[in-house]
Amino acid sequence: MTHLITDHLGRKMQIPTPPKRIISICPAITETLFALGLENEIVGRTKYCIFPKGIVENVPIVGGTKEVNLEKIRALQPDLILAEKEENTEGIVRALEKIAPVFVMEVQSIQNAYRFIQTLGELTNKEQAAEMLITSCKSSFASIQHKQYRKAAYVIWRKPYMVVGGTTYINDVLLKLGFHNPFEKEDSRYPAVTKEELANATLDVLLLASEPFPFQEKHVAEFQAFLPNTKIILVDGEMFWYGSKMITSGPYLENLIKNI
């Protein structure tokens, strides 16, 4: 049995009710599917889908988020493929549509993250589990209280330096933490910036993420050299993921803001 559904990009498709063989090509989707109790339905994942540890390793890898093995995916005979607009490319989605329905999520804010969980529940007949997960995530984030707004940038890449821009989940989290991101109005969601642009932004705080580029203690001095009046902090990039990770990230983010 199938039913007609519309994904977050407005694309209509027929999907089975409920799907029995799901491939996820986005880490946050994979982790959240497990949180909803769908370990028996997940038949494929990317090499970046590393959570939940100790369980996800049993699921076959079908490639990365930007490049997949079409033959391997075809052999797994999925009846639903789950993707995310930012994580995956339009080319991948179009290629995978020839194999199975591809539902594309879009997450650009904390509110979108709750919709994301709700949608996964609706797609898989796990509505009750999804509502419980959303309640837990909201509870986790409810305790985050900021004292004042400060200017901050969140750096995700080196050579070139790339920061978080607007219309992103991370930017919304920064706002929740009481930060104003001077790069949120840039054309790109993840704009490349120069040393001069970072310096001219007169940042109070600079957050260096552990992923996708693995910033470490040795990089702090590199930024401090041209940002002498900015507090530079290494942060766990995984704590800025949406989905079921929000349950554990709430306390982490609360502690982060208390110590700045």
Side-chain angles (χ1 to χ4, degrees):
M1 182 177 177
T2 64
H3 70 286
L4 183 67
I5 196 163
T6 304
D7 74 2
H8 291 173
L9 304 187
R11 300 159 57 254
K12 296 184 183 298
M13 66 198 71
Q14 291 280 349
I15 72 164
T17 308
K20 295 295 187 183
R21 299 184 63 79
I22 302 170
I23 287 179
S24 165
I25 55 173
C26 168
I29 293 176
T30 302
E31 183 178 19
T32 305
L33 289 173
F34 274 100
L36 295 177
L38 291 155
E39 58 273 5
N40 293 326
E41 284 79 7
I42 307 168
V43 299
R45 62 177 173 109
T46 76
K47 60 185 177 182
Y48 303 112
C49 298
I50 59 174
F51 298 107
K53 290 187 182 296
I55 304 174
V56 75
E57 293 85 355
N58 297 323
V59 180
I61 293 173
V62 298
T65 53
K66 310 299 183 192
E67 187 175 323
V68 295
N69 186 320
L70 295 176
E71 290 308 311
K72 187 174 287 188
I73 289 175
R74 189 175 285 108
L76 288 169
Q77 298 182 306
D79 53 18
L80 177 63
I81 299 171
L82 298 173
E84 202 279 327
K85 182 182 178 183
E86 179 180 298
E87 289 285 333
N88 310 120
T89 67
E90 182 180 353
I92 284 178
V93 170
R94 292 193 180 281
L96 292 177
E97 282 177 327
K98 298 174 183 178
I99 299 174
V102 183
F103 190 103
V104 181
M105 310 274 180
E106 184 172 36
V107 181
Q108 298 184 337
S109 66
I110 294 172
Q111 200 58 43
N112 280 173
Y114 300 140
R115 178 187 69 166
F116 162 85
I117 298 171
Q118 181 181 23
T119 299
L120 286 179
E122 292 169 350
L123 290 173
T124 59
N125 283 6
K126 292 284 186 178
E127 289 94 342
Q128 187 174 357
E131 287 304 316
M132 291 174 63
L133 180 56
I134 291 169
T135 298
S136 296
C137 291
K138 287 183 175 180
S139 176
S140 175
F141 268 53
S143 59
I144 301 173
Q145 300 293 332
H146 62 78
K147 296 178 181 178
Q148 60 182 327
Y149 277 97
R150 289 167 286 189
K151 286 202 287 187
Y154 184 104
V155 189
I156 65 166
W157 202 254
R158 180 174 180 264
K159 294 186 178 180
Y161 295 137
M162 294 177 70
V163 298
V164 164
T167 62
T168 61
Y169 171 76
I170 296 176
N171 188 66
D172 204 30
V173 171
L174 293 177
L175 189 65
K176 174 75 172 174
L177 294 175
F179 291 128
H180 165 63
N181 175 12
F183 300 107
E184 69 178 358
K185 300 299 183 184
E186 297 287 334
D187 291 338
S188 170
R189 296 179 70 190
Y190 297 97
V193 295
T194 64
K195 290 181 179 181
E196 291 73 24
E197 287 171 319
L198 287 168
N200 291 338
T202 60
L203 300 167
D204 298 303
V205 179
L206 186 76
L207 303 175
L208 300 181
S210 61
E211 62 87 36
F213 182 87
F215 284 107
Q216 300 170 32
E217 193 65 46
K218 65 183 180 181
H219 297 109
V220 173
E222 175 184 329
F223 285 90
Q224 203 76 77
F226 60 91
L227 298 172
N229 301 315
T230 300
K231 186 166 187 177
I232 300 174
I233 302 171
L234 294 169
V235 295
D236 184 348
E238 292 168 358
M239 291 295 102
F240 288 79
W241 287 12
Y242 51 82
S244 57
K245 187 70 77 186
M246 296 168 76
I247 295 176
T248 52
S249 64
Y252 173 87
L253 296 171
E254 181 184 11
N255 188 60
L256 173 67
I257 201 67
K258 282 181 178 178
N259 292 314
I260 293 179

